[in-house]
Amino acid sequence: MAASNSIIHGLLKSKVPFYRALNRTTLPSVCVQRSTDLQSVRASTSATDSRFSEKYCLDLVRSRDYDGFVSSLLLPEDARRSSLALRAFNVELAQAGISTAQLDVKDSVSQKTLGLMRMQFWKTAIEEIYSDDPPSQPIGTELWRAVRKHNLTKRWLLRIITDREKDLDDRAYRNLQELEAYSENTQSSLIYLLLECLGVKDVHADHAASHIGKAQGITTCLRATPYHSSRRKVYLPMDVCMLHGASQEDFIRNSREQNVRDVVYDIASQAHVHLQHARSFSKRVPAAACPAFLQTVVLEDYLQRVRRAHFDVFHPSLQARNPLLPLQLYLRSWKKTY
């Protein structure tokens, strides 16, 4: 007992020198260790967030834009992740219009308001991304990474948002030129950004990208016709429909009359013309640009299939995905052509 009291008394007597020694030697060591641990935790958290945002974009594109997903996987590794970020951004904007098209007139008013709010969010997000202060959102994080890595042009991103916002009006295109303008501002802008990811700056590549984007927008409008018709919506250019005496009701009823097929023929032909124009630049386009144009394989596949179906846009063969498409994309990628 006496020994125990002696030890306690000794510790109490030496308390001040002990804390001084602790503050002088041990505390800085502890602080350094804690600082190192904190940095390690932050780095680990940042890496986890990065992996999550990358996987989020990959899963979104795979589920909503499978053709774009496969095309992105065939890009050079340095551009692959950025391509998925851009395509995820494109899908995110497109979903606002799709959700509006699914609702009746009363609900679509409030849904359009939500769509406009989503577009405003992305306009603000783009400004924040270019101010190096991205939103805490997976696509925003990945987009910020792509912008920093490839110095992407802000104008193309904002142009996609602006025209997607106009598309919330939920009406048919007045004429083929209006559909082409929309396609240029959305699909072509996306391809311009993909070219920047590949480090390509070439006027011939830009011309080809413009025509491919227009062909893609027109073809997408055709491909989506059965889906939209099932929801009593028709977005095909009104001037072409009027030219052949085809009403919106004809498409809603899935009519296979000749006048409906003539509408499809004219629209598909215009997409084919743009595809041919794009390929007319092929000898002058750098090989490095070709991976950004892999979508031409998908467009060509659909246009050939709709031709074999005698331009019956509702034919069951057009509703199924071509199982050989990934192989065709790979072969085109290997040949470095479009």
Side-chain angles (χ1 to χ4, degrees), residues 23-165:
N23 290 333
R24 186 172 60 251
T25 58
T26 310
L27 196 56
S29 175
V30 170
C31 287
V32 169
Q33 182 62 41
R34 285 180 178 174
S35 177
T36 303
D37 290 345
L38 186 58
Q39 289 176 2
S40 177
V41 169
R42 284 176 176 170
S44 176
T45 303
S46 178
T48 301
D49 290 345
S50 178
R51 286 194 296 270
F52 169 76
S53 60
E54 181 181 13
K55 186 177 185 302
Y56 180 91
C57 290
L58 186 147
D59 290 342
L60 179 63
V61 177
R62 178 165 49 194
S63 63
R64 299 290 185 176
D65 179 16
Y66 184 77
D67 298 332
F69 168 72
V70 176
S71 298
S72 293
L73 294 184
L74 293 171
L75 291 181
E77 186 176 357
D78 190 56
R80 201 173 298 154
R81 184 171 175 177
S82 299
S83 171
L84 288 168
L86 289 168
R87 291 192 182 279
F89 168 70
N90 193 48
V91 169
E92 172 74 9
L93 296 178
Q95 285 181 337
I98 291 173
S99 58
T100 301
Q102 291 175 342
L103 300 172
D104 60 30
V105 175
K106 182 178 179 181
D107 288 339
S108 67
V109 174
S110 59
Q111 191 64 25
K112 181 183 176 181
T113 303
L114 292 175
L116 290 170
M117 289 172 64
R118 180 181 290 185
M119 298 301 173
Q120 185 57 51
F121 166 82
W122 280 110
K123 285 179 181 178
T124 304
I126 295 301
E127 297 297 336
E128 290 173 344
I129 285 168
Y130 279 86
S131 298
D132 218 23
D133 183 27
S136 298
Q137 198 265 5
I139 298 174
T141 300
E142 287 297 288
L143 209 53
W144 170 69
R145 179 187 172 279
V147 167
R148 291 188 66 191
K149 184 174 182 178
H150 305 287
N151 193 28
L152 300 180
T153 303
K154 189 200 316 190
R155 182 173 77 257
W156 303 135
L157 293 167
L158 290 176
R159 195 162 80 156
I160 294 173
I161 298 171
T162 300
D163 266 62
R164 289 287 189 188
E165 186 176 43

Side-chain angles (χ1 to χ4, degrees), residues 159-176:
R159 195 162 80 156
I160 294 173
I161 298 171
T162 300
D163 266 62
R164 289 287 189 188
E165 186 176 43
K166 292 176 184 176
D167 202 44
L168 292 174
D169 288 338
D170 194 31
R171 60 171 179 80
Y173 297 100
R174 285 173 293 186
N175 48 54
L176 199 51

Side-chain angles (χ1 to χ4, degrees), residues 70-71 74-75 212 275-276 278-279 282 286-302 304 322 324-338:
V70 176
S71 298
L74 293 171
L75 291 181
I212 292 170
L275 206 52
Q276 292 303 106
R279 285 176 171 158
S282 60
C290 291
F293 301 156
L294 285 175
Q295 203 70 11
T296 56
V297 178
V298 180
L299 305 180
E300 187 177 45
D301 173 74
Y302 179 81
Q304 287 178 351
N322 181 359
L324 295 178
L325 202 54
L327 177 61
Q328 293 170 355
L329 283 163
Y330 174 77
L331 290 174
R332 193 66 62 88
S333 172
W334 178 69
K335 291 179 180 179
K336 291 183 171 58
T337 60
Y338 66 92

Side-chain angles (χ1 to χ4, degrees), residues 157-212:
L157 293 167
L158 290 176
R159 195 162 80 156
I160 294 173
I161 298 171
T162 300
D163 266 62
R164 289 287 189 188
E165 186 176 43
K166 292 176 184 176
D167 202 44
L168 292 174
D169 288 338
D170 194 31
R171 60 171 179 80
Y173 297 100
R174 285 173 293 186
N175 48 54
L176 199 51
Q177 290 70 34
E178 189 175 71
L179 173 55
E180 287 176 324
Y182 173 75
S183 303
E184 163 69 29
N185 292 335
T186 53
Q187 302 294 347
S188 298
S189 294
L190 179 63
I191 302 175
Y192 297 148
L193 290 163
L194 291 176
L195 287 173
E196 291 183 345
C197 290
L198 293 168
V200 175
K201 293 183 179 181
D202 181 84
V203 65
H204 301 302
D206 289 343
H207 284 318
S210 175
H211 286 293
I212 292 170

Side-chain angles (χ1 to χ4, degrees), residues 226-237:
Y227 171 83
H228 290 141
S229 296
S230 68
R231 287 158 177 76
R232 302 190 63 79
K233 299 287 184 179
V234 181
Y235 298 105
L236 297 174

